[in-house]
Amino acid sequence: MNCCRFLPLALLGLALWITPQFLHSNEPTPAPHDDTKAQKADDKEQDREPDVVYWPTPQNVVDKMLEMAQVKKDDIVYDLGCGDARILVTAAKKYGCKGYGWDINPVRVKESLENVKTNKVEDLVSVKKGDIFKLDLKDASVVTLYLLPELNVRLMPQLEKLKPGSRIVSHDFDMKGAKPKETVTLKAKNHMGIEGEHKIYLWVVPWEKE
């Protein structure tokens, strides 16, 4: 009789002990840390509309830009917003120097890589998709630009960190607050065959302030 009286209490105790174990065993397992999330977030951030409309630089303007920058074999050329990489390809073929290009538009990057391969300068020229306003430019000795004036100004905090003696050349657009060392005007036909005047601006780091 004593056994019968205490049996319900024993069963209740057993139930109270089992229940937490059961609940714990059914808790969701924490997801493993995914190191690719940060990279995906960065890629997504870079998937934005380009800051400028693609407009190819005429070849004779490209040649003059590199001439004004006095490019040599041991230079490292950065082209910010490289389009089809024609500046980098020309620098590699003509001067034998290394070049690196970035463009936010994946279509332009694809065209650049095809151009690099067609001209067989893969050992000298590298092109990547990226946001030019987040780049560390310290390894460049020559930087080429074909952006809008306000974008050139936006790049100034990065450009002023270049090594002394580094050259910056810009097609058509100046950089307010920085006095050019040289400005050249020449005529050239664009990709539609229309001839017009083109300006090229040259700065040498550290530049003279306006």
Side-chain angles (χ1 to χ4, degrees):
M1 185 173 176
N2 290 338
C3 178
C4 294
R5 187 175 63 186
F6 288 107
L7 183 58
L9 293 175
L11 291 174
L12 177 61
L14 181 62
L16 291 173
W17 180 82
I18 290 175
T19 300
Q21 310 304 317
F22 176 77
L23 291 174
H24 180 74
S25 67
N26 283 276
E27 288 179 358
T29 304
H33 180 67
D34 187 358
D35 290 332
T36 63
K37 285 183 178 180
Q39 181 62 47
K40 287 179 179 178
D42 187 56
D43 289 343
K44 186 176 181 181
E45 186 177 349
Q46 292 184 4
D47 288 336
R48 59 177 176 79
E49 289 298 314
D51 296 295
V52 295
V53 176
Y54 174 56
W55 200 260
T57 299
Q59 187 59 46
N60 62 324
V61 176
V62 170
D63 294 336
K64 190 63 179 179
M65 290 173 73
L66 297 174
E67 179 188 320
M68 289 174 64
Q70 298 182 7
V71 174
K72 297 178 178 61
K73 187 175 181 178
D74 59 352
D75 277 314
I76 296 178
V77 180
Y78 277 25
D79 189 2
L80 308 185
C82 62
D84 63 2
R86 64 181 60 195
I87 293 177
L88 299 173
V89 168
T90 301
K93 293 181 73 174
K94 194 169 183 178
Y95 301 100
C97 62
K98 288 188 176 181
Y100 299 86
W102 288 267
D103 204 292
I104 199 75
N105 189 335
V107 176
R108 301 283 86 81
V109 173
K110 183 175 182 293
E111 290 176 354
S112 292
L113 294 173
E114 289 172 354
N115 194 19
V116 168
K117 186 176 181 180
T118 299
N119 286 277
K120 299 178 181 179
V121 289
E122 301 101 312
D123 57 330
L124 292 174
V125 178
S126 173
V127 176
K128 295 181 180 180
K129 180 176 179 289
D131 187 338
I132 61 174
F133 300 105
K134 296 182 178 180
L135 296 178
D136 184 345
L137 308 178
K138 70 178 186 301
D139 292 331
S141 55
V142 175
V143 175
T144 62
L145 307 169
Y146 190 15
L147 305 170
L148 296 173
E150 60 267 27
L151 300 179
N152 288 351
V153 170
R154 187 176 167 189
L155 282 167
M156 286 175 73
Q158 293 159 265
L159 294 170
E160 66 183 359
K161 293 178 183 178
L162 291 167
K163 296 181 290 289
S166 298
R167 289 85 73 203
I168 304 161
V169 280
S170 174
H171 175 201
D172 271 345
F173 301 112
D174 64 1
M175 188 163 61
K176 188 176 181 180
K179 185 177 180 180
K181 186 177 181 65
E182 186 180 0
T183 302
V184 170
T185 301
L186 70 162
K187 288 187 176 182
K189 289 184 179 180
N190 63 23
H191 59 290
M192 296 185 295
I194 301 172
E195 187 174 74
E197 285 194 346
H198 298 255
K199 274 192 174 182
I200 303 172
Y201 298 86
L202 168 71
W203 298 269
V204 177
V205 179
W207 55 72
E208 184 181 349
K209 294 184 179 180
E210 287 182 326

